[in-house]
Amino acid sequence: MFKIEFMQRALFLAEKGKGFVSPNPMVGCVIVKDGKIIGEGWHRKFGDYHAEVNAVFDAEEKGFSVEGADVYVTLEPCSHFGKTPPCANLLAEKKVKRVFISSLDANPLVAGKGVEILQNAGIEVFHGFLDEKNKELNKFFFYHIRNKLPYVILKLAITLDGYIADFEGNSKWITNQESRKKVHKLRSEVDAVLVGSGTVYADNPSLTVRLVEGRNPKKVVVDFNGKLEGDFSLFDENAILVCLKNVLSDERKNYYHKKGTKIIELEQKSIRELLEKLYAENIASILVEGGSVIAGMFAESGLVNEVLLFVAPKLFGEGKRAFSLSSRFSAENPLVLGEGDGVITFKLRS
């Protein structure tokens, strides 16, 4: 009946979609007949065929019929028409015998409905195999679906004595090439990279993926008071400028419109409101690469899911600290970066 190695193979295939399918989940599928794999596939790119479709195509191109076969898939087959037809309907039409699922879908458009379609077609359905591994692989997807907020990773590169920049504000190349390559890989896997106006002024970053293969994320610049002036390389049709309502001059609005940059206006300086607005833009995950002010605001919000800390073997002696925080935090009143699975809690001294 069920063999774990086939689900392990499906999870391996699913991970091939990392950096290409979000905000959709990574999904892998293996089709087995007479104890042998006859077809396999994964969701390769957002908007393209899902894993089950690719696996069926793979089997049929090899001359196999999938009727009576067992299907191992890492996520409940979809039951609704999105950019592609429902996978549950396809498996029902192909008359597969059994479907083994790692995790049920958290999306209310699908949750349980895919299983129902399969069972109504007389297909045996089982689920819960390597569920935790799949949920860890797809943590961005599950978190943003359940919480209606993007998954937030706060990235910091610091010296041994805890500085993110020297006393003149220079922050580039604190760490080495290998660390930068890891950051570029992470950029390719998230939906958006976020910085503040201070980082834009100081570094004029491009925020693109350059050291690894992968797609470029959205570029989010937080300029609450609309103080940015001049021309910067990151503003284009893939960028989003976030500010408070009615703070941008007509000249600055025209600048962003000509660049193709989207403007999002907030009612107040609220990280939660910011994340809610970005969720509405179909952004499921964010890498925060800003300076101490932005890092501090996200830290205080309690909405950080992970902290990625790169510590360089250097000493600055003085400079800019990692977090610019309000005075209400102390050892007795600690700063909690987030809640739920995978949270890192820091106790900061005043």
Side-chain angles (χ1 to χ4, degrees):
M1 197 177 174
F2 173 79
K3 290 190 177 180
I4 194 168
E5 58 263 33
F6 295 136
M7 189 62 78
Q8 289 171 329
R9 175 64 182 173
L11 283 167
F12 171 80
L13 294 170
E15 195 166 4
K16 288 176 175 284
K18 183 176 285 188
F20 298 98
V21 302
S22 186
N24 281 352
M26 292 170 273
V27 182
C29 180
V30 171
I31 302 177
V32 177
K33 204 168 188 179
D34 298 324
K36 296 181 180 179
I37 295 176
I38 61 170
E40 56 184 27
W42 66 94
H43 187 26
R44 295 171 179 264
K45 184 180 178 182
F46 179 75
D48 282 1
Y49 290 122
H50 288 183
E52 300 93 320
V53 177
N54 286 328
V56 169
F57 284 169
D58 182 49
E60 292 181 342
E61 285 174 0
K62 294 173 181 175
F64 294 105
S65 167
V66 301
E67 184 174 349
D70 288 341
V71 175
Y72 290 74
V73 62
T74 58
L75 192 70
E76 179 181 2
C78 63
S79 57
H80 66 293
F81 283 87
K83 290 185 177 293
T84 59
C87 295
N89 289 20
L90 174 67
L91 296 178
E93 291 166 8
K94 294 294 181 178
K95 298 180 180 179
V96 302
K97 183 179 181 181
R98 293 180 293 217
V99 176
F100 300 100
I101 300 167
S102 179
S103 306
L104 296 180
D105 201 328
N107 188 339
L109 291 173
V110 179
K113 299 181 179 70
V115 169
E116 185 178 354
I117 289 172
L118 296 171
Q119 290 176 332
N120 287 343
I123 297 168
E124 296 180 74
V125 182
F126 308 89
H127 61 83
F129 307 99
L130 301 180
D131 177 61
E132 290 304 315
K133 283 192 174 183
N134 185 46
K135 285 178 178 174
E136 175 60 24
L137 177 65
N138 282 297
K139 59 188 176 184
F140 298 165
F141 169 76
F142 282 101
Y143 180 83
H144 107 277
I145 285 290
R146 288 172 175 158
N147 297 279
K148 293 184 168 50
L149 292 171
Y151 189 100
V152 176
I153 300 173
L154 176 59
K155 188 272 292 185
L156 295 167
I158 66 171
T159 61
L160 283 173
D161 48 354
Y163 295 104
I164 63 170
D166 63 22
F167 68 95
E168 292 181 340
N170 298 313
S171 61
K172 282 191 174 182
W173 320 136
I174 284 181
T175 53
N176 59 20
Q177 180 77 359
E178 189 60 32
S179 294
R180 290 191 287 276
K181 188 174 181 179
K182 288 180 180 179
V183 172
H184 279 255
K185 185 176 186 302
L186 186 53
R187 282 183 184 178
S188 76
E189 296 170 0
V190 297
D191 291 336
V193 175
L194 183 147
V195 297
S197 56
T199 297
V200 175
Y201 267 130
D203 300 334
N204 191 19
S206 63
L207 301 182
T208 55
V209 174
R210 300 183 299 280
L211 302 179
V212 298
E213 183 182 352
R215 66 172 187 176
N216 286 320
K218 290 280 186 183
K219 299 169 287 186
V220 180
V221 177
V222 180
D223 181 24
F224 285 124
N225 297 318
K227 298 298 185 182
L228 275 175
E229 296 179 357
D231 193 20
F232 299 96
S233 59
L234 60 75
F235 289 114
D236 56 26
E237 66 281 350
N238 200 37
I240 298 173
L241 186 282
V242 180
C243 62
L244 296 176
K245 279 189 175 180
N246 304 318
V247 299
L248 290 180
S249 65
D250 290 340
E251 179 183 0
R252 202 61 191 168
K253 283 183 180 179
N254 288 334
Y255 168 80
Y256 293 126
H257 288 152
K258 287 179 181 178
K259 291 283 188 177
T261 296
K262 183 179 182 66
I263 299 172
I264 291 179
E265 294 183 318
L266 305 180
E267 295 289 344
Q268 56 186 332
K269 291 184 181 180
S270 164
I271 296 300
R272 177 171 286 278
E273 184 185 356
L274 164 62
L275 293 177
E276 288 172 349
K277 294 279 190 180
L278 294 178
Y279 169 83
E281 294 294 319
N282 219 18
I283 291 175
S285 55
I286 298 172
L287 177 62
V288 179
E289 291 196 46
S292 61
V293 174
I294 286 295
M297 291 189 71
F298 269 88
E300 289 182 337
S301 75
L303 296 171
V304 174
N305 298 88
E306 284 185 40
V307 175
L308 184 60
L309 198 62
F310 292 89
V311 182
K314 299 176 181 178
L315 297 172
F316 278 178
E318 59 179 314
K320 295 185 70 174
R321 292 289 186 185
F323 297 103
S324 176
L325 299 170
S326 68
S327 60
R328 62 193 177 91
F329 293 103
S330 65
E332 292 74 30
N333 185 24
L335 170 64
V336 180
L337 290 181
E339 297 177 358
D341 294 340
V343 173
I344 297 176
T345 300
F346 284 84
K347 291 186 177 180
L348 302 182
R349 296 178 180 174
S350 56

